[in-house]
Each structure stands twice: as C-alpha cells, then as structure tokens.
Amino acid sequence: MSKITAAITAVGGYVPNFVLTNKMLEGMVETNDEWIVSRTGIKERRILKPEEGEGTSYLAIKAAEDLIQKRNIDPEEIDLVIIATATPDSMVASTAAFVAAEIGAKNAFAYDLLAACSSFLFGMSTAASYIQSGRYKKVLLIGADKMSSIIDYTDRTTCIIFGDGAGAALFEPNEEGLGLQDEYLRADGNGRKYLGMDAGGSLMPATEETVKNRKHFIYQDGRTVFKFAVSNMADVAEKIMQRNNLKDTDVTWLVPHQANKRIIDATANRMGLDNSKVLMNIHRYGNTTSGTLPLLLADFESQLKKGDNLVFAAFGGGFTWGSIYLKWAYN
Ligand SMILES: CC(C)(COP(=O)(O)OP(=O)(O)OC[C@H]1O[C@@H](n2cnc3c(N)ncnc32)[C@H](O)[C@@H]1OP(=O)(O)O)[C@@H](O)C(=O)NCCC(=O)NCCS
C-alpha cells in the first residue's frame, strides 16, 4: 500500500465588505498613502462592521461555506474543524466549536489554534498529521482574524497594517504522493516583548486601568519585528528548498505571509524567485494575520495546477515562524 499523504483538496475565502483605504486613514492618523504604500505595499484593507456581522466566527463561517459550496461536500463528513486565530470570539468557549455547529459539521470535534501570524502554517502541520496517521479523513482548517477588534485606530504604527479576513482549506488523504511534503517550524518566546497585546490574558486581566491605558490593543516594535521577519522567513524558506533539493526553477509558487511587501520581496529574493512566482494580495487586504495564507490560495486557486510545488513561509508574534513545502493536488 502506498504511503498516505495529506493534500489540500478544496479552499474558500471571505473578506468583509467595508473597504478602509489609505486615503481614509489619512483622515484618522498622521500618515499618507505614499508612505504606507512605499513602506508596506498596502493600499486598502477590509473591516468587519457590526452592520454586516460580528466576531471572527462570522468570517470563518463565510470562508467555510464558500469552500463547502464550491466543493459540494456534505458538512456531516467533516471529522475535525480547526480555527487558526489570534482573535477568537471570546476567551474560554472554543470559536471552532461554534463555527462547526453553524456550518452543520455535526460529527466533528473542534478547537482553536493560536500562534499569531503563523497560526495557519502551524495548523497545516496539525491538520496534515491527523490525515497522515490515518486517524481522520476530512480536516477543515480555517484561518480567520478580526484584527480590527484589537487595533488602536489612533496608533499609526499598527492601524495601517492590519485588516479582517478568513480563508479555509480542506485536508484529505492522497495516495499519489501529493500534499504536504516537508515542514520546518520554529518558535522563540524571547520575541514576545516586541509584538503582542499586554492585557486581556491571565498575565494582565482586564481592569479599568488596562482599558484607560489602551492595553487591549496590539503593539509592536516595528523595526525589530521587521528585522527578525526578514531574516527568519528567508532562512526557513531557503532551508526547506535545500532539504528537498528544490532549485528556484522547481518552485512553482511562493505562498508568503502578507505582513509587508518588503519582507515578501526579501524572501523571494533569497530563494532566487522571480516576482511572477510570488502570490500576493497584501495591497488589497493588508495583514489579516491567520487569514493571509488561505486567502492567497482562495484568490489564486484557478492558477494552481496539480503537481505544482508550493513553498509557504510565515512569521508572527511570539515569535513563531516556519516554512512548508506542499505539492498542489488538483486543477
Ligand atoms: C511598521 C513598519 C511598516 C514601519 O516601517 P519602517 O520603515 O520600519 O519605519 P520606522 O518604524 O523606522 O519609522 C520611520 C518613521 O516613520 C514614522 N511612521 C511610523 N508610522 C507611520 C505612518 N503610518 N505614517 C507616516 N509615518 C509613520 C515613524 O514615526 C518614523 O519617524 P521618525 O523617523 O521621525 O522617528 C515596518 O517596520 C514593518 O513592517 N515592520 C514589521 C511589522 C510586521 O510585519 N508586523 C506583523 C508581523 S507578522
């Protein structure tokens, strides 16, 4: 019997309707379109407004429904729903359990997975392991974040970067050797002082003080994060290529976390890849945290061909980062 690999067999995506442009941000903080585009590559991002829906679960459900409808699967066949997110609906109750119930995945168990901007990448490893072991047949991995819920729209160093969005990928067994081939995943907790959110967790529970001092919003030391992201994302992508004897001509697509166009360019450059092989939608959505990788797959699905070699790379808070090599499984 041939070895079982874990392939992505369907994808879906969703971004909310409201478009927050650079021009609009110019009226909110001291910034300008030219600065934002030249430093980040971002032109606009999507924001989930209460008139449309609430919570990360809303985005996750929409992305899952897109996948289910396109692939025409029965939600009752799904064994497991994992939500990769840094902004769950609430503490304690699993967002994934709610999403599973709403999409009709009655027979699935469900949980959330948190590794900041690397959540989806790490989730790919988790989802693939369940499939490779033969334990489950259909694992739905959703990357979803409502970043606007933790952004301070008076802080120009963060509010220009992040947006809301979600993407979903279905993992199933494959006997042709397609799907996840190799992974190199890393973490270094010394990085948590450079990117995170101080209050709201067990270390600093919510008080009047924490609210007054704006501790429930994301902060980052942009310059330091940038330096770590540039070198670490490029290092792991290069390592995955070397370990699998992949030359630049063997890589069909780089699927990079969409944090900053300059970080993406540096990674592609180290891999020796031409721009035409780099999937990018940061100009439209900004950094949607756990949503970036599956949203790329959903947006570029029609261009991906069976057998294509995809190299994923991500970097995020914690710090967490890594790279995955996957062979695309369908046309
Ligand atoms: C945030 C980021 C875009 C800032 O770009 P940068 O080139 O590093 O800019 P700096 O932070 O060095 O700031 C340069 C100047 O621009 C100013 N500036 C910061 N934000 C600005 C904004 N939105 N508009 C205009 N000016 C701004 C700074 O105050 C600074 O001014 P000064 O020189 O007078 O002190 C960049 O550091 C970055 O992308 N970092 C990584 C962030 C990231 O990816 N986070 C998520 C990881 S998953």
Side-chain angles (χ1 to χ4, degrees), residues 237 240-241 246 251 253-256 271 309-313 323-326:
I240 276 284
M241 285 176 73
L246 293 172
V251 177
W253 305 105
L254 168 63
V255 190
M271 296 168 73
N309 289 322
L310 276 57
V311 173
F312 293 75
S323 182
I324 283 180
Y325 165 33
L326 175 138

Side-chain angles (χ1 to χ4, degrees), residues 29-32 35-36 39-40 117 156-157 160-162 195 220-226 229 257 259-260 262-263 287 315-317:
V29 290
E30 184 75 43
T31 192
N32 59 76
W35 192 96
I36 301 173
R39 300 287 174 122
T40 69
C117 290
R156 68 176 182 173
T157 69
I160 57 150
I161 293 175
F162 295 95
L195 173 59
Q220 68 170 351
D221 171 351
R223 233 174 266 190
T224 306
V225 174
F226 185 85
H257 174 51
N260 183 314
R262 289 184 292 147
I263 300 173
N287 181 350
F315 182 87

Side-chain angles (χ1 to χ4, degrees), residues 12-13 148 178 195 254 258 267 272 284 293-294 297 328:
S148 60
L178 302 170
L195 173 59
L254 168 63
Q258 309 283 294
T267 304
R284 291 161 60 207
L293 300 180
L297 298 179
W328 196 247

